[in-house]
């Protein structure tokens, strides 16, 4: 279980999120919703150790993550699929997978290159192409595959649907929901409500750096005014 | 035809070692973002180790031992010094590795002595092969093969090994790689070892071709900088292409312009930088550190003003109360304070790092000497010409320099100074080469020690005061704006490039005037006024005095010159200086001036 | 209404990706316009094209009759364009007063105006403080004062409320709006806080996938189905 308690974080003097608290149960999936700038990305980066944490604590299965270096956090079992993908453009698809390769925190190796290629045949076909030549959707698949190569306990996905055509989002949704069904814990930041609902039962809505709603999607359906207020314009 | 082929092959052979050194420098930079000035020292140590091992165990054992030895030394450098500086401003990273240069130089002096060493020929490769009737040394062909083999080997390492893949990934996006669980410290250590080993290998392979000397380190590092700047930092293939280009330019250029071969390299570098600011195969650096610490200049304050007044009075009455020796020494201090003040202005207020301040000092010195000796100018006219000539040089270097920042600027300025230095050595008809220009004496009215002292006092005080006023006034405010935040400055309508250029020209003028005074105080000028140690002296004075202290250059020049005077009699005083530089970079980035102003403000706070 | 800024068919691509695609709009004197859209919609690129950090592949930017499309940022500023940055950009080695003085000198105005300027943005009395000692909201105000020092015809605000908490967001928007009204400056701002957008914009531009998909009053935008779709990501929205 990932636990975020009283988290206040930002970049230098600029504070982006304040006193956040939520949990992601093991094998569960939580979607962070909210308009851009609401603090979703900062929340994900805080878990990954990539921004300044001023206060609060983040733990994964009892192990404290906050205050550790990003590489230690990754080795503790956190997989990261960043905003903008950040695949290594000069490296081939295979080499990108190599950069993510490591045993899980418990020493287990479940994911290998052939297995992630089964999941994403699109990139298997282009295994020797440099990542810089991939399409947006292929890059996103590669970024997910690269994170899986580290055999994570929890996968952080920052805006996976951003900039992708609906049919590609559909395709990603299928694979990610299959992973979720298999028991991979997911925390995703997403503006696309349809994708978020497909992957997660639980939702945390952020607005100007604060949690304004925590509950299930079903709860949210009963409160359409919340959607209107925090997600729409 | 045969002659040109032979010349071409000689060029390729020289390119090999240069490539090995530049490739190591480039790989280390790609991963750690540190430009290792001590990389040339690793090359030199490789040569020394190879010399010693070869004499007992034979050359072919010596080569791998030298590579591993230099690699190990690189690893030790990373663990003891550089790892403390990964988050420091670029200036301190550069300066600390420069401190290491001095330490390693003296260590080599202690271990191997001051005499040049002539190594063995490579057993089995001492003959020559005739190609198109020209004799080509077999060893040259071997070197070419090694260069290509290392290029292939490095390519294989990058393409086929996990380590190579991680290094390439780190060069592209270090933070992302870390977020995938890769430990940066381990990657850094291995990278340093490999890069250093390549330099050591380059040095070892040069043993049969040239004598092993204590000046190998700085000669090769200046060339390696030119190579990586042309090839692109972080690109091994770029380093290879650039090394071949430079070596061939030297091989053929020496036929056409035997006196100014290095100028050709500089022109090529300038052209490449105009077309591709980050080199042939390089990319714009991501997430570069600040060049210097963004910090307000310390205020002179009440105690500072009192101290300054006392200092001025003391300097004024010195000839009345002091010995002649003291007056001569303080003449030096005044000249060096002026030189350092120029660097302090561009580096402190402007954030523009220069490792080639000697270029301006030497231009002023040689300019004044030539005006006086060749054109028969009076001292006064020659002295007026010195800052003008230096300013013209600064304006030219500045044209390229304003496009660059941080480490690129440091490398460019160092390379520029090094090229002027080689002109000073090579262009004998004009500069007299190593014999220098002699007999440059002051005008009759200021010919005595005391009179000349007052001349230096007057000019230095006026020039330093003018720069302090500029730094504290509008010009300084706008210059600081470009240093603190260039995009913000542009958005306010400030022409950042022009401002930086002006700062470099002012720094050049100050150093040029100092150089002019220096010539007339010594009566002669030698290439050493243009050499790297002079640039380092200027840097150390500025850092010692405090980059952000208004009186920094004065304090720094004073303490440095007095220290040098008393310590330089020690055999290994350069190592001591080097250790001192490393210590400042790691633990006292504010220098003496910074410490003083901290101390005063703490005392005032306690009282209130 | 006088048109102060006009973007004509701006286009910018990076590699194969078209970040800004045929974007045209105008900004009138004293008008307050918000530029919104989901992440990756092309707002930042559009902003950079206007401020001069990047040059458009095709299209023009006309500032009060002058074509500034290919001018360097510092020349655009002199033509009457001011801007603030997403992460407040100030001169960190300086006091508040020195920051504003620098901006005034750069604009060719007397430093004596600094007090008035600081008072306008609500920082009276803080002039002697080092800018790094201020709260982030005040740093943003310093930046706004600097951007206003040249009395620009058009002021670009890149996420003016980012990094600030609660009521401070509204206050800084009020400051910006009041100053724009007073000087006749046209404001173009990107913003994530919809309260700020709907509370302060006269007109709203919405971008998605590099294109301008809507341009209208807050009420029109609220009812626009295309806008709802891109914001909620629901095909049925």
């Amino acid at each position: 279980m990932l636990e975020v308690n009283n988290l206040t974080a930002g970049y230098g003097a600029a504070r982006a999120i304040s006193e956040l608290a939520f949990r992601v149960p093991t094998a569960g999936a939580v979607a962070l919703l909210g308009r851009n700038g609401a603090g979703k990305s900062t929340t994900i980066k805080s878990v990954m150790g990539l921004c300044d944490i001023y206060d609060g604590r983040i733990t994964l299965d009892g192990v404290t993550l906050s205050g550790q270096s990003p590489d230690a956090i990754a080795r503790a079992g956190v997989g990261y699929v960043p905003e903008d993908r950040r695949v290594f453009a000069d490296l081939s698809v295979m080499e990108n997978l190599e950069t993510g390769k490591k045993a899980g925190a418990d020493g287990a190796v479940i994911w290998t290159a052939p297995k992630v290629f089964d999941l994403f045949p699109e990139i298997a076909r282009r295994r020797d192409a440099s990542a810089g030549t991939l399409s947006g959707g292929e890059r996103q698949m590669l970024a997910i595959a690269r994170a899986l190569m580290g055999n994570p306990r929890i996968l952080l996905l920052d805006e996976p649907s951003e900039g992708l055509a609906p049919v590609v989002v559909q395709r990603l949704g299928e694979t990610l929901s299959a992973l979720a069904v298999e028991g991979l814990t997911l925390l995703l930041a997403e503006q696309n409500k349809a994708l978020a609902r497909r992957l997660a039962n639980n939702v945390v809505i952020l607005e100007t750096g604060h949690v304004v709603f925590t509950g299930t999607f079903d709860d949210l359906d009963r409160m359409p005014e919340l959607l209107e207020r925090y997600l729409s314009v | 035809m045969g002659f040109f082929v032979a010349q071409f092959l000689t060029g390729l052979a020289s390119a090999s070692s240069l490539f090995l050194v530049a490739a190591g420098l480039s790989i280390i930079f790609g991963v750690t973002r540190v430009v290792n000035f001590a990389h040339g020292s690793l090359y030199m140590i490789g040569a020394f180790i190879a010399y010693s091992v070869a004499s007992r165990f034979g050359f072919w054992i010596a080569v791998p031992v030298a590579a591993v030895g230099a690699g190990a030394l690189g690893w030790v450098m990373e663990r003891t010094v550089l790892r403390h500086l990964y988050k420091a401003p670029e200036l301190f990273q550069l300066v600390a590795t420069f401190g290491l240069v001095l330490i390693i130089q003296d260590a080599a002096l202690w271990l191997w002595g001051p005499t040049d060493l002539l190594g063995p020929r490579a057993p089995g490769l001492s003959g020559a092969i005739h190609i198109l009737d020209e004799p080509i040394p077999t060893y040259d062909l071997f070197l070419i093969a090694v260069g290509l083999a290392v290029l292939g080997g490095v390519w294989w390492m990058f393409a086929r090994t996990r380590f190579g893949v991680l290094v390439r990934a780190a060069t592209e996006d270090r933070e992302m790689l870390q977020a995938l669980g890769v430990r940066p410290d381990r990657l850094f250590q291995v990278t340093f070892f490999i890069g250093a080993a390549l330099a050591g290998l380059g040095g070892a392979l040069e043993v049969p071709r040239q004598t092993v000397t204590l000046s190998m380190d700085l000669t090769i590092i200046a060339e390696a900088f030119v190579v990586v700047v042309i090839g692109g930092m972080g690109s091994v293939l770029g380093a290879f292409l650039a090394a071949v280009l430079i070596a061939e330019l030297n091989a053929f250029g020496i036929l056409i312009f035997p006196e100014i071969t290095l100028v050709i390299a500089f022109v090529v570098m300038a052209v490449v930088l105009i077309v591709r600011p980050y080199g042939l195969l390089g990319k714009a650096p991501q997430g570069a550190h600040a060049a210097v610490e963004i910090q307000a200049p310390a205020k002179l304050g009440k105690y500072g003003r009192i101290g300054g007044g006392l200092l001025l009075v003391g300097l004024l009455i010195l000839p009345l109360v002091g010995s002649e020796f003291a007056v001569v020494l303080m003449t030096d201090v005044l000249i060096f304070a002026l030189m350092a003040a120029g660097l302090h202005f561009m580096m402190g207020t402007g954030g523009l790092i220069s490792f080639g301040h000697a270029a301006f000092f030497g231009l002023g010195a040689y300019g004044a000497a030539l005006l006086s000796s060749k054109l028969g100018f009076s001292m006064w006219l020659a002295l007026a010409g010195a800052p003008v000539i230096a300013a013209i040089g600064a304006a030219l270097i500045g044209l390229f320099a304003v496009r660059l920042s941080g480490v690129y600027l440091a490398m460019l300025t160092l390379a520029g100074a090094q090229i002027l230095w080689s002109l000073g050595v090579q262009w004998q008809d004009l500069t007299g080469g190593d014999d220098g220009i002699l007999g440059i004496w002051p005008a009759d009215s200021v010919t005595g020690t005391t009179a000349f002292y007052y001349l230096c006092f007057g000019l230095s005080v006026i020039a330093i005061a003018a720069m302090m006023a500029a730094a504290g006034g509008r010009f300084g405010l706008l210059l600081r704006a470009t240093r603190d935040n260039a995009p913000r400055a542009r958005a306010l309508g400030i022409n950042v490039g022009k401002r930086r250029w002006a700062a470099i020209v002012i720094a050049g003028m100050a150093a040029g005037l100092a150089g002019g005074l220096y010539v007339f105080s010594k009566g002669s000028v030698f290439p050493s006024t243009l050499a790297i140690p002079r640039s380092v002296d200027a840097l150390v004075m500025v850092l010692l005095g405090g980059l952000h202290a208004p009186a920094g250059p004065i304090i720094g020049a004073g303490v440095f010159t007095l220290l040098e005077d008393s310590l330089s009699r020690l055999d290994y005083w350069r190592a001591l200086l080097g250790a001192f530089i490393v210590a400042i970079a790691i633990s006292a980035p504010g220098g003496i001036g910074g410490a003083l102003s901290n101390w005063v403000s703490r005392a005032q706070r306690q009282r209130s | 209404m006088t048109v102060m800024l006009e973007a004509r068919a701006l286009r910018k691509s990076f590699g194969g990706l078209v970040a800004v695609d045929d974007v045209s709009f105008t900004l009138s004197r004293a008008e307050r316009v918000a530029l919104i859209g989901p992440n990756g919609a092309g707002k930042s690129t559009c902003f950079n094209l206007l401020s001069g950090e990047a040059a458009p592949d095709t299209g023009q930017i006309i500032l009060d009759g002058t074509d500034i499309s290919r001018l360097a940022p510092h020349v655009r500023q002199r033509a009457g364009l001011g801007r603030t940055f997403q992460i407040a950009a100030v001169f960190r080695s300086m006091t508040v007063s020195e920051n504003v003085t620098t901006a005034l000198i750069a604009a060719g105005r007397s430093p004596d105006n600094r007090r008035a300027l600081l008072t306008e943005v609500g920082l009276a009395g803080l002039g002697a403080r080092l800018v790094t000692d201020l709260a982030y909201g005040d740093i943003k105000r310093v930046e706004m004062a600097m951007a206003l020092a040249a009395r620009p015809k058009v002021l670009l605000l890149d996420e003016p409320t980012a990094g600030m908490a609660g009521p401070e967001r509204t206050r800084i928007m009020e400051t910006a709006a009041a100053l724009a009204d007073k000087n006749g400056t046209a404001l173009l701002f990107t913003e994530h806080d919809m309260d700020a957008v709907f509370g302060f914009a006269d007109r709203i531009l919405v971008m998605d996938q590099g294109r301008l998909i809507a341009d209208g009053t807050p009420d029109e935008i609220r009812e626009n189905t295309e806008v709802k779709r891109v914001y909620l990501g629901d095909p049925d929205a």
Side-chain angles (χ1 to χ4, degrees):
Chain A
M1 180 165 67
L2 180 81
E3 280 192 271
V4 173
N5 278 315
N6 189 35
L7 178 68
T8 300
Y11 309 90
R15 163 189 292 215
I17 49 177
S18 301
E19 296 165 14
L20 244 58
F22 64 88
R23 294 170 173 198
V24 187
T26 303
V30 168
L32 297 168
L33 291 182
R35 282 184 292 251
N36 47 352
K40 305 187 298 294
S41 201
T42 308
T43 308
I44 299 265
K45 282 187 181 157
S46 306
V47 177
M48 203 61 234
L50 296 174
C51 63
D52 302 324
I53 294 179
Y54 311 131
D55 196 14
R57 191 177 149 99
I58 304 168
T59 58
L60 178 66
D61 298 336
V63 179
T64 303
L65 299 182
S66 39
Q68 298 219 51
S69 64
D71 54 293
I73 292 171
R75 287 194 304 275
V78 182
Y80 177 50
V81 181
E83 199 178 358
D84 295 335
R85 291 62 155 162
R86 287 169 81 172
V87 295
F88 302 107
D90 293 343
L91 272 56
S92 72
V93 168
M94 268 314 271
E95 288 169 341
N96 266 279
L97 296 182
E98 179 71 30
T99 61
K101 192 172 93 181
K102 64 175 172 58
D106 53 2
V109 177
I110 298 158
W111 290 101
T112 58
K115 281 200 69 178
V116 297
F117 281 143
D118 283 346
L119 206 59
F120 297 114
E122 294 92 333
I123 57 171
R125 284 193 290 275
R126 308 207 52 193
R127 70 182 72 200
D128 295 321
S130 68
T133 66
L134 300 184
S135 71
E138 288 166 340
R139 284 182 197 213
Q140 188 59 273
M141 292 176 200
L142 177 56
I144 295 168
R146 182 179 64 180
L148 289 175
M149 288 293 287
N151 296 287
R153 297 175 181 201
I154 178 168
L155 197 58
L156 312 180
L157 296 147
D158 198 350
E159 305 274 2
S161 77
E162 182 186 322
L164 300 182
V167 51
V168 181
V169 176
Q170 179 77 14
R171 161 77 185 80
L172 276 177
E174 281 166 21
T175 309
L176 288 171
S177 64
L179 288 172
V181 168
E182 280 174 34
L184 183 65
T185 312
L186 294 181
L187 173 63
L188 80 155
E190 189 49 75
Q191 284 190 304
N192 183 318
K193 199 185 88 209
L195 178 65
R197 137 170 262 150
R198 175 158 189 186
L199 299 179
N201 298 322
N202 295 299
V203 55
V204 174
I205 298 183
L206 299 179
E207 167 76 358
T208 63
H210 295 268
V211 172
V212 291
F213 172 82
T214 312
T216 63
F217 269 100
D218 292 338
D219 296 337
L220 194 57
D221 282 342
R222 277 177 238 121
M223 292 176 271
E225 73 284 357
L226 267 181
L227 271 184
E228 194 64 24
R229 195 157 127 215
Y230 295 118
L231 301 182
S232 182
V233 293
Chain B
M1 183 62 205
F3 174 73
F4 286 103
V5 172
Q7 206 64 15
F8 179 75
L9 290 174
T10 308
L12 273 188
S14 318
S16 275
S17 283
L18 188 52
F19 161 63
L20 293 180
V21 176
L25 187 68
S26 202
I27 294 170
I28 290 175
F29 175 80
V31 174
T32 64
R33 299 283 160 217
V34 171
V35 171
N36 182 17
F37 270 89
H39 205 67
S41 310
L42 296 165
Y43 163 86
M44 178 179 77
I45 288 296
F48 274 115
I49 294 177
Y51 170 85
S52 292
V53 177
S55 64
R56 295 190 61 187
F57 301 99
F59 180 71
W60 296 115
I61 304 262
V63 172
V65 171
V68 172
L73 181 59
W75 179 80
V76 170
M77 274 162 48
E78 200 276 342
R79 285 291 88 188
T80 52
V81 175
L82 286 158
R83 71 180 174 122
H84 301 292
L85 290 164
Y86 286 131
K87 290 185 176 144
E90 286 174 336
L91 174 65
F92 295 112
Q93 298 175 341
L94 293 162
V95 161
T97 58
F98 226 124
L100 291 171
V101 170
L102 299 178
I103 296 172
I104 295 173
Q105 215 167 48
D106 264 2
L109 174 66
W110 179 61
L111 286 168
W112 283 283
T115 40
D116 294 357
L117 304 173
L118 190 61
R121 290 300 184 92
L125 298 176
S126 53
I129 292 173
H130 283 261
I131 297 177
L132 295 174
D133 292 337
E134 287 284 336
I136 311 287
T138 318
Y139 191 71
D140 277 10
L141 295 174
F142 167 73
L143 275 186
I144 296 172
V146 171
L148 290 171
V150 168
L151 179 65
V154 171
W155 177 84
W156 175 84
M157 177 186 82
F158 278 152
R160 292 279 181 272
T161 67
R162 175 171 166 83
F163 171 74
V165 168
L166 296 182
V167 166
R168 280 159 58 213
T171 304
E172 220 179 296
D173 188 344
R174 206 161 73 189
E175 187 188 73
M176 184 64 227
L177 189 65
Q178 201 184 352
L180 290 167
V182 176
R183 286 174 211 255
D185 50 343
R186 287 190 188 170
L187 200 60
F188 287 8
Q189 289 176 49
V190 180
T191 305
F192 249 94
F193 179 85
I194 290 178
L198 282 176
L201 179 62
L205 291 174
E206 279 297 298
V207 169
R209 291 183 95 211
Q210 59 175 36
T211 53
V212 183
T213 74
L214 288 168
S215 61
M216 291 173 85
D217 51 354
L218 293 181
T219 314
I220 196 84
I221 196 69
E223 281 190 58
F225 281 170
V226 173
V227 166
V228 293
V229 167
I230 291 178
M233 293 294 282
S235 165
V236 172
L237 186 59
F240 182 77
L241 294 176
V244 170
L245 183 68
I246 291 298
E248 292 300 344
L249 278 172
N250 280 336
F252 286 98
I254 208 158
L255 304 173
I256 310 164
F257 312 106
E259 288 170 338
I260 51 167
T261 46
L262 267 165
V263 176
I264 306 174
F266 189 63
V267 171
V268 172
M269 181 165 87
V271 170
V272 169
L273 285 177
I274 291 170
V275 184
R276 293 188 59 91
Y278 299 104
L280 294 173
L281 301 178
K283 289 179 179 163
Q286 303 284 317
H289 286 209
V292 301
E293 234 155 334
I294 305 292
Q295 192 179 319
K299 294 267 189 308
L300 211 46
K302 188 173 77 181
Y303 295 101
R305 280 194 295 275
I306 294 172
L310 287 176
L311 181 68
L312 279 180
V313 171
L315 287 171
L316 262 177
I317 61 167
L318 176 76
L320 308 178
V321 297
S323 64
E324 171 143 353
F325 172 75
V327 175
V328 170
L329 194 63
M330 286 315 286
T331 305
D332 276 1
V333 169
L334 286 167
I335 291 172
F336 290 137
L338 176 56
M339 170 182 80
L343 184 62
H344 181 262
F345 184 76
M346 75 180 263
M347 213 160 69
T349 313
L352 301 160
I353 303 178
S354 170
F355 273 69
H357 201 56
F360 308 142
F361 184 78
L363 272 177
Y366 270 97
L370 290 170
L371 288 176
S372 164
S373 68
K374 300 264 166 175
L375 300 179
F377 278 32
S378 72
M379 181 201 85
W380 300 107
L381 273 179
L383 214 46
V388 175
I389 290 170
I392 293 170
L396 282 175
I397 292 181
L399 279 185
F400 303 107
V402 295
R403 299 166 65 94
L404 305 171
S405 59
V407 295
Y408 288 83
L409 185 56
M411 286 190 292
L412 179 89
T413 48
L414 181 116
Q418 208 43 17
I419 278 148
L420 285 173
W421 171 77
S422 65
L423 271 183
V425 176
Q426 286 186 338
W427 198 352
Q428 296 204 356
D429 295 344
L430 186 71
T431 64
D434 282 325
D435 298 333
I437 304 171
L438 308 176
I440 316 294
W441 297 110
D444 290 343
S445 54
V446 286
T447 197
T449 308
T450 304
F452 196 77
Y453 167 82
Y454 279 119
L455 174 71
C456 291
F457 174 77
L459 288 176
S460 293
V461 168
I462 292 170
I464 292 174
M467 278 189 286
M468 281 170 81
R474 286 191 177 197
F475 186 93
L477 206 56
L478 296 188
L479 183 61
R480 247 165 82 201
T482 69
R483 175 198 75 181
D484 282 13
N485 195 322
R488 175 74 269 171
R490 281 190 201 96
L492 291 178
I494 299 172
N495 187 338
V496 171
K498 205 169 103 190
R499 250 326 117 180
R500 287 183 173 161
W501 182 79
I504 294 172
V505 172
I506 290 175
M509 284 178 73
L513 180 59
L517 288 171
Y518 185 74
V519 177
F520 285 104
S521 84
K522 303 291 171 199
S524 56
V525 59
F526 298 102
S528 64
T529 53
L530 284 161
I532 291 176
R534 178 76 59 196
S535 295
V536 178
D537 290 352
L539 267 172
V540 175
M541 288 174 197
V542 170
L543 292 177
L544 189 58
L547 191 58
H548 299 288
I554 301 164
I555 300 172
V559 174
F560 180 85
T561 310
L562 297 180
L563 264 183
E564 187 180 35
D565 182 65
S566 51
L567 291 181
S568 60
R569 289 171 209 131
L570 300 177
D571 285 338
Y572 300 107
W573 105 275
R574 285 265 149 196
L576 214 62
L577 177 64
F580 192 53
I581 293 174
V582 171
I584 291 181
I586 294 180
S587 44
I592 297 172
L596 274 179
S597 75
N598 282 347
W599 181 65
V600 168
S601 59
R602 206 175 310 141
Q604 280 170 341
R605 232 176 299 140
Q606 272 172 4
R607 221 179 310 147
S608 65
Chain C
M1 287 201 296
T2 336
V3 171
M4 280 297 192
L5 182 78
E6 183 180 2
R8 289 185 193 152
L10 291 181
R11 190 184 154 90
K12 178 75 182 177
S13 58
F14 299 103
L17 182 82
V18 183
V20 170
D21 191 359
D22 195 24
V23 168
S24 302
F25 59 86
T26 61
L27 225 68
S28 300
R29 193 182 140 78
E31 194 182 21
R32 307 198 295 251
V33 177
L35 175 63
I36 65 170
N39 276 347
K43 302 185 302 284
S44 298
T45 308
C46 191
F47 221 74
N48 287 337
L49 293 182
L50 296 174
S51 67
E53 302 291 319
D57 299 337
T58 55
Q60 277 115 42
I61 302 158
I62 313 292
L63 178 68
D64 197 18
T66 314
D67 185 346
I68 61 163
S69 331
R70 299 281 180 282
L71 300 181
H74 70 272
V75 188
R76 291 185 193 210
Q77 188 275 345
R78 291 172 192 171
L81 190 75
R83 76 165 295 185
T84 66
F85 292 80
Q86 191 168 342
I87 295 174
V90 291
F91 302 125
R92 288 191 288 132
S93 75
M94 301 184 190
T95 63
V96 171
S97 183
E98 284 171 330
N99 266 282
V100 177
T101 302
T102 304
L104 284 165
I105 293 173
R109 292 181 63 198
S110 161
D112 298 341
N113 293 306
R114 64 178 179 272
R115 268 169 202 280
L117 205 50
L118 285 175
T119 309
E120 275 186 342
V121 296
L123 292 175
L126 291 180
R129 297 269 292 274
L130 258 184
V131 73
T132 43
D133 291 342
L134 297 186
Y136 189 64
D138 287 339
I139 295 180
K140 286 217 145 193
R141 287 173 180 273
V142 173
E143 200 197 17
M144 193 171 292
M146 292 166 83
L148 286 166
R151 292 186 282 219
K153 296 166 185 164
V154 173
L155 180 58
L156 307 174
L157 303 167
D158 197 355
E159 302 199 10
T161 74
M164 290 200 270
E168 174 76 295
R169 291 167 170 270
T170 316
R171 284 203 295 271
I172 194 143
M173 287 309 296
E174 280 166 355
T175 305
L179 290 168
D181 282 348
K182 191 177 138 211
N183 301 323
T185 305
L187 286 185
L188 179 70
F189 62 102
T190 60
E191 186 50 65
H192 294 315
D193 182 346
M194 289 304 144
D195 292 338
V197 170
F198 284 89
F200 290 92
D202 302 322
R203 199 150 56 84
I204 298 173
L205 307 171
V206 188
M207 283 187 77
D208 184 41
Q209 310 213 1
R211 289 168 181 279
L212 198 60
I213 59 165
D215 177 350
T217 63
D219 287 340
E220 287 164 8
I221 295 297
R222 234 188 282 268
E223 300 308 316
N224 187 312
T225 48
E226 179 75 359
V227 173
K228 282 191 182 173
R229 188 191 62 75
V230 306
Y231 261 88
L232 291 175
D234 284 353
D236 55 329

